[in-house]
Amino acid sequence: MKDAYSRDVTYLRLSVTDLCDLRCRYCMPAGGVPKLPRGGVCSVEELVEITRQAVRLGVRKVRLTGGEPLVRRGIVEICRGVAALDGVEELCLTTNGTALSRFAGPLREAGVDRLNVSLDTLRPDRFAHMTRTGRLEDVLRGLEAARAAGFTGTKLNVVLMDGFNRDEIPDFVELARRSPLEVRFIELMPIGQGTRERFLPAAAVLDACPELEEAESSGVARRYRIPGGMGLVGLIEPMSRRFCRGCDRIRVTADGRLKPCLHSDREIPLRGLSGEALRRAIAGGIAAKPPHHSMAETGRSGASRNMNQIGG
Ligand code: SAM
Ligand code: SF4
């Protein structure tokens, strides 16, 4: 279905939980988030029904996210249910990777096509500091398990932060050179715990690695080849290059509220609806997509919930 600005909405980002085993400083408060009451998050059946109706409106690609999707009980069942729907052409999952060594095989068998793994540093001490609770070795083991389970086209999400990982840009590019990964540098957004102090424009990657050669862009990412390398480098620049004109997505939070835009507080409750009523509510959400966000002008996202609650 097209929105009011003729953008074809084909991509659903579905949050399956707002809980997480990590406490990344730019995403989660140190103490985590209060657990929603029992029944506060959508059931497996509700998630599948939301996807079924979204697909009838033209959604083709689904991404499961959170919070950390791998801490959600029933995640493999959710993947299986969504992957089995007619019309879902691509099922992806975004994870911090800490539990991937256990889940890679089951996710693959359940029908997940591709993974995005978030990893902001390759140094164990920095990883422990940034995530407050995590161990880098778990994520590295998870990446290896994903490869062994047959996942290809895995993307590594790296949020760029000045004074934290700027000096690691060449290390990440080197990783993409010697492995078939797409390393995606993402600009830090002033949403949730994210502040502007550490913001670093993604163009810093091109300054640090002038050898990168422009390649075909993909979705919201500008992409680059590394001479002689196996992988790719992508730049995602919500702050420096607003890509709203090509926005093709809607989001649904773990508590079942459709967000027409990540950076707006407008939310459309979907719980309790099914069939045609649900489809009409989703269509209303698509029609309500604003033309663009205004973070560059206002300095802050218009959304007041944290990324872990919205589904990044
Ligand atoms: N827990 C999973 C993970 O970390 O991949 C999925 C949810 S997480 C909210 C999804 C993505 O959002 C991660 O890549 C994370 O780095 C990113 N993210 C969170 N807060 C952000 C912010 N303020 N600016 C930019 N990216 C952010
Ligand atoms: Fe958890 Fe992902 Fe947020 Fe880190 S970015 S705290 S892993 S939800």
Side-chain angles (χ1 to χ4, degrees), residues 17-29 65-69 94-98 118 120 130-132 159 307-309 312:
T17 179
D18 60 345
L19 301 178
C20 185
D21 54 327
L22 300 186
R23 300 279 180 273
C24 301
R25 289 171 189 271
Y26 55 83
C27 178
M28 274 264 199
T65 180
E68 172 47 43
T94 300
T95 173
N96 61 30
T98 58
S118 302
D120 302 327
M130 182 51 71
T131 64
R132 295 190 180 108
V159 176
M307 278 293 264
N308 70 294
Q309 295 172 307

Side-chain angles (χ1 to χ4, degrees), residues 65 73 182 232 255 274:
T65 180
R73 202 180 302 152
E182 180 172 332
L232 287 168
D255 55 356
S274 63

Side-chain angles (χ1 to χ4, degrees), residues 247-268:
C247 183
D248 58 356
R249 59 195 63 184
I250 47 172
R251 294 168 194 264
V252 175
T253 62
D255 55 356
R257 300 172 76 83
L258 186 151
K259 285 187 75 76
C261 172
L262 168 61
H263 296 295
S264 152
D265 258 345
R266 176 118 192 233
E267 296 183 353
I268 293 154

Side-chain angles (χ1 to χ4, degrees), residues 19-296:
L19 301 178
C20 185
D21 54 327
L22 300 186
R23 300 279 180 273
C24 301
R25 289 171 189 271
Y26 55 83
C27 178
M28 274 264 199
V33 288
K35 221 174 161 177
L36 289 170
R38 210 180 154 74
V41 294
C42 291
S43 65
V44 176
E45 293 73 25
E46 286 175 302
L47 292 167
V48 173
E49 174 65 4
I50 289 169
T51 311
R52 182 183 292 114
Q53 299 308 330
V55 165
R56 289 191 61 177
L57 292 166
V59 162
R60 299 281 167 262
K61 172 175 171 181
V62 180
R63 175 175 304 281
L64 301 179
T65 180
E68 172 47 43
L70 300 188
V71 305
R72 166 71 198 254
R73 202 180 302 152
I75 182 62
V76 175
E77 212 183 328
I78 295 168
C79 293
R80 200 174 292 118
V82 170
L85 291 172
D86 271 348
V88 172
E89 292 170 7
E90 195 179 11
L91 173 60
C92 305
L93 183 136
T94 300
T95 173
N96 61 30
T98 58
L100 250 190
S101 54
R102 246 181 321 127
F103 278 100
L107 292 176
R108 186 82 193 137
E109 276 161 37
V112 175
D113 296 301
R114 251 185 347 88
L115 298 173
N116 281 36
V117 178
S118 302
L119 182 59
D120 302 327
T121 173
L122 297 169
R123 304 197 187 172
D125 54 332
R126 287 187 184 178
F127 186 87
H129 173 75
M130 182 51 71
T131 64
R132 295 190 180 108
T133 58
R135 291 189 316 174
L136 175 65
E137 63 193 79
D138 294 338
V139 184
L140 298 180
R141 220 176 311 117
L143 278 167
E144 181 48 34
R147 199 197 51 76
F151 281 105
T152 56
T154 301
K155 293 176 182 162
L156 216 58
N157 287 357
V158 183
V159 176
L160 279 170
M161 284 166 278
D162 205 10
F164 175 67
N165 59 6
R166 180 184 201 141
D167 57 346
E168 290 188 64
I169 292 172
D171 300 345
F172 276 110
V173 171
E174 172 58 19
L175 182 63
R177 193 184 63 73
R178 57 183 159 76
S179 48
L181 289 169
E182 180 172 332
V183 172
R184 301 188 130 194
F185 293 99
I186 301 173
E187 289 180 346
L188 179 67
M189 297 182 288
I191 181 171
Q193 309 294 305
T195 59
R196 294 193 87 174
E197 289 107 61
R198 287 196 179 272
F199 173 75
L200 184 63
V205 174
L206 304 179
D207 293 341
C209 302
E211 72 278 18
L212 294 177
E213 295 169 352
E214 206 162 338
E216 203 184 328
S217 57
S218 156
V220 297
R222 282 202 284 163
R223 293 200 302 180
Y224 297 83
R225 261 186 302 275
I226 312 149
M230 297 169 79
L232 287 168
V233 168
L235 305 185
I236 302 193
E237 301 154 286
M239 305 303 290
S240 320
R241 289 179 162 240
R242 195 160 58 189
F243 40 71
C244 304
R245 196 182 299 188
C247 183
D248 58 356
R249 59 195 63 184
I250 47 172
R251 294 168 194 264
V252 175
T253 62
D255 55 356
R257 300 172 76 83
L258 186 151
K259 285 187 75 76
C261 172
L262 168 61
H263 296 295
S264 152
D265 258 345
R266 176 118 192 233
E267 296 183 353
I268 293 154
L270 302 180
R271 293 199 79 186
L273 303 176
S274 63
E276 202 188 324
L278 176 57
R279 199 158 65 246
R280 246 185 284 124
I282 297 172
I286 294 175
K289 277 179 69 62
H292 54 73
H293 67 69
S294 306
M295 279 188 296

